Structure formats: C-alpha cells, structure tokens
Amino acid sequence: MKSIKKRLLAGFAGAAIFIAGAAGAQAETWKYAFEEAMTDVQGVFAQKFKEEVEANSDHEIQLFPFGTLGESADIMEQAQAGILQFVDQSPGFTGALIPEAQVFFVPYLLPAESEQLGDFFRNSKAIHEMFPELYANQGLELLTMFPEGEVVMNTKREVRAPADLDEVKFRVMTNPLLVESYQAFGATPTPLPWGEVYGGLQTNIIQGQENPMFWVESTKMYEVTDYITFAGHNNFTTAVMANKEFYDGLGEEDRKVIQDATKAAFEHILEYQKGLTEKSLDKIKQAKPDMNIVELTEEERAPFKEAAAEVEAKFIEMTGDSGQKILDQMKADLQAATQ
Ligand code: 6CS
C-alpha cells in the first residue's frame, strides 16, 4: 500500500502534467505566407502582426516570404486547404476566385492622396461589410485590405501616351480586368506570375510591367528597364486572410487577438509607407543614375483617364449585379473619404 504522502505527491504530479498538457495544447503555431520578401511592405505588415499576436497570446506565428512556398496562386491554395492559417494575396491574383475583387483595377478610382487613401481603407463599407462575404464563399476570412503604394509603369521605352505602348508586351498580374486595362491603354497585356517577370524583361519576352516604387527597387527591376512613369492610375491593393474553418474554430479570445493584431499592423503599415516612394526612388537613382523618371502632366494623363470608363464597363460586364453593388458602395466610400 502507498503511503498517504506518496499518494498526495502522485496526485500533485498528475495534476501538474494535466495543467502543463492543457496549456501546451492551447499554444499553437500558425503559418502565414505572403507574396513579398520580409523587408517589403507585406513582410513588414506580417512581422508586426506576428509581434502583436505573440505579445498577446501563447501562439507563435511562422512567416513564409515569397518563394518559400511557391507563387501567389500556390499560397492561396494552401490557405484554402488549411495548410496555412494566414495568407496575403493581392486582388491582382484573386480575379478568377473573386471577380469582384478586380474593382481595385478600375484606373483612377482610388485617391492619390495618402491620408484620404488611408481613411478609405480604414472605413470602407465595401471592404469591411461586402467583401468579407465574397471571401467567405471561398473559405476565407478577410482580415484586412491595405494599400502598398502608387503604381508606376516600368518600361524599356518612354511612355507619354497610349501610342507609346503600342506593341509593348506589358506584364500584368494574372487578372482579367488588368488585361482589359492595358488593352485600353494601348499595350499588349501579358499576364504572368511574379517569378517570371525579371527574366521576361531580361530576355525581352516582355517590355514593361507595373508596380509600386518600393517593389521596383527591392526586386531590381531597374536593372532590366529604363523608364519609370508616374501616370497616377492606381495604388497597389493587397488583402490578408485567414482560413475560414480555422478562424471560425477559434475561441473568442483568440479571434480578438487576431483582430487587434490586424488593426495594429494596418496602422503600422500606413505609417511605414510615409516617404517610401521617394526613398525607393533615391535608391534607384543611386544604383542607376541614368534611369529615366517621367511624371505625366495632366494633359498626358487625359487619354489614360478616358480609357478608365471602358475598363469600368468591362468590370460590370464581368461581374454583373454583384460587381455593380460593390462599385457603387466603393464610390460612396471614396466620396466620404475624400470630402
Ligand atoms: O506584381 C506582382 O506580382 C507583385 N507585386 C507586389 C507589389 N507584390 C507582390 C506581387 O506578387
């Protein structure tokens, strides 16, 4: 027979193992993949999100930058399958899955001014109330959307007018409305995943691409192009999502940790981007002093702006009533943000 003391000790040990086991079961490692490097905008957002989640819970976030798990389409599939808990995929690649997300490619829709842009993304009903349902239909919990910077045209030859884009094979993300956009701008749009862009420009399979300045700089696009053109036609939008089944299965406390971390990372990334375009431009000028930087005048922008109406009509043709509702709400949200 065991002594009372021994029985008590065994009881305590059992309880300790049980408590440690329960705590261990709660602390999970969540995987988060994105489309850029750790030091790019999506990476800075992801790092802040990780920092917040880890500071406010026992969970750990494991980050997977571009290339570690494949292209954008691959990480989206992995997030939908629940292999990843979080994913950052830009609407530029979400066109086939959620056609309405292509609204972000109607040219000259988003404001150029950063405070207004921030307010729009912070408060938009289209983003916070309408898009979540569309993402949920694809097994995704939409956590946030945020801007990554003004998009520039980055080409081998000078672009002052749509005629200059004639016969230019212009790489776009794999998004049907972007194809329409560059067709309306006079180019020959060529949808490609990101991994093929540098080599495509180097071998002259394509002669142009568009992206925000930080990305042109960090991915060294200036090595294989000669012109950067500011036409003011768009700002790059991206979206962060969770696998919906995973998210719905969480307790209220964990969901709150994720929501708070998302909000903190959103504000952090807007702050981080202040002056980023100028900084990236300076780095490019240092690395390649003869890179040509062109800012289109209002007059030169006019024909590109005219093309926007055609693209908007195509968007409605592709998405019907559902797209029309999103577009109308977005316009109302934009008006509220720019007043
Ligand atoms: O153009 C692209 O494909 C990439 N551009 C940016 C700014 N982020 C990721 C995306 O893959």
Side-chain angles (χ1 to χ4, degrees):
M1 280 276 289
K2 278 185 181 172
S3 71
I4 291 178
K5 199 174 159 192
K6 271 187 183 166
R7 266 192 250 173
L8 275 175
L9 278 177
F12 283 140
I17 287 166
F18 176 76
I19 290 164
Q26 275 178 354
E28 289 171 3
T29 298
W30 295 335
K31 297 186 173 76
Y32 179 143
F34 48 100
E35 302 168 314
E36 299 173 3
M38 209 63 113
T39 49
D40 288 320
V41 173
Q42 288 183 19
V44 172
F45 181 99
Q47 287 190 68
K48 180 68 179 169
F49 178 84
K50 170 183 165 75
E51 186 189 307
E52 291 289 321
V53 168
E54 292 181 355
N56 294 300
S57 74
D58 291 333
H59 304 304
E60 196 192 318
I61 303 273
Q62 207 178 350
L63 297 178
F64 295 90
F66 174 76
T68 49
L69 297 176
E71 286 279 359
S72 185
D74 302 311
I75 57 175
M76 182 56 127
E77 268 179 33
Q78 291 158 24
Q80 284 183 294
I83 298 165
L84 295 172
Q85 283 69 45
F86 299 99
V87 69
D88 185 328
Q89 190 192 54
S90 306
F93 292 107
T94 318
L97 207 61
I98 304 164
E100 294 88 341
Q102 298 181 106
V103 72
F104 292 99
F105 298 97
V106 174
Y108 298 100
L109 189 62
L110 296 180
E113 208 277 309
S114 59
E115 292 295 320
Q116 295 179 348
L117 195 67
D119 275 352
F120 164 72
F121 277 92
R122 199 177 280 119
N123 304 319
S124 163
K125 278 191 187 162
I127 291 178
H128 297 282
E129 291 172 24
M130 295 171 86
F131 271 117
E133 213 179 302
L134 300 172
Y135 278 77
N137 293 340
Q138 300 300 330
L140 299 159
E141 176 74 26
L142 177 63
L143 296 177
T144 191
M145 287 185 174
F146 62 88
E148 291 199 43
E150 179 177 344
V151 169
V152 295
M153 295 184 197
N154 177 210
T155 49
K156 287 179 185 257
R157 60 152 111 133
E158 187 169 22
V159 179
R160 292 270 179 190
D164 297 326
L165 287 171
D166 189 30
E167 310 258 303
V168 171
K169 289 202 201 82
F170 201 102
R171 179 270 174 172
V172 291
M173 289 180 279
T174 53
N175 177 310
L177 200 71
L178 255 175
V179 169
E180 295 294 342
S181 256
Y182 272 88
Q183 225 146 33
F185 285 173
T188 305
T190 311
L192 286 176
W194 177 253
E196 291 174 38
V197 180
Y198 188 99
L201 285 164
Q202 198 173 32
T203 54
N204 207 32
I205 288 169
I206 48 170
Q207 296 88 37
Q209 65 103 18
E210 61 152 37
N211 254 310
M213 283 301 300
F214 82 87
W215 188 248
V216 175
E217 191 276 317
S218 74
T219 60
K220 299 196 189 309
M221 285 297 113
Y222 56 83
E223 291 178 349
V224 285
T225 54
D226 291 309
Y227 287 86
I228 285 171
T229 306
F230 287 83
H233 65 294
N234 210 356
N235 198 294
F236 191 98
T237 297
T238 199
V240 179
M241 298 142 260
N243 171 282
K244 187 146 177 62
E245 212 177 300
F246 151 76
Y247 188 82
D248 289 346
L250 293 173
E252 216 163 282
E253 210 177 302
D254 279 342
R255 281 209 290 265
K256 173 130 180 27
V257 166
I258 290 170
Q259 284 159 10
D260 290 349
T262 303
K263 279 192 193 129
F266 175 89
E267 294 304 332
H268 179 72
I269 208 61
L270 291 193
E271 197 56 36
Y272 172 80
Q273 286 181 71
K274 288 185 180 158
L276 187 59
T277 296
E278 293 74 15
K279 266 186 241 160
S280 309
L281 198 52
D282 285 347
K283 284 190 195 166
I284 292 176
K285 281 182 191 160
Q286 276 204 339
K288 184 172 173 177
D290 59 347
M291 188 77 188
N292 299 286
I293 317 295
V294 180
E295 170 112 30
L296 296 191
T297 62
E298 270 312 308
E299 214 180 333
E300 287 168 330
R301 288 175 190 208
F304 293 103
K305 285 190 178 170
E306 272 164 34
E310 199 183 308
V311 182
E312 188 175 310
K314 282 280 174 196
F315 172 72
I316 299 302
E317 210 178 280
M318 283 176 188
T319 56
D321 268 4
S322 168
Q324 184 73 63
K325 279 186 193 137
I326 291 266
L327 182 65
D328 291 347
Q329 186 59 53
M330 265 192 63
K331 285 185 176 173
D333 298 343
L334 285 161
Q335 205 177 355
T338 54
Q339 252 164 16

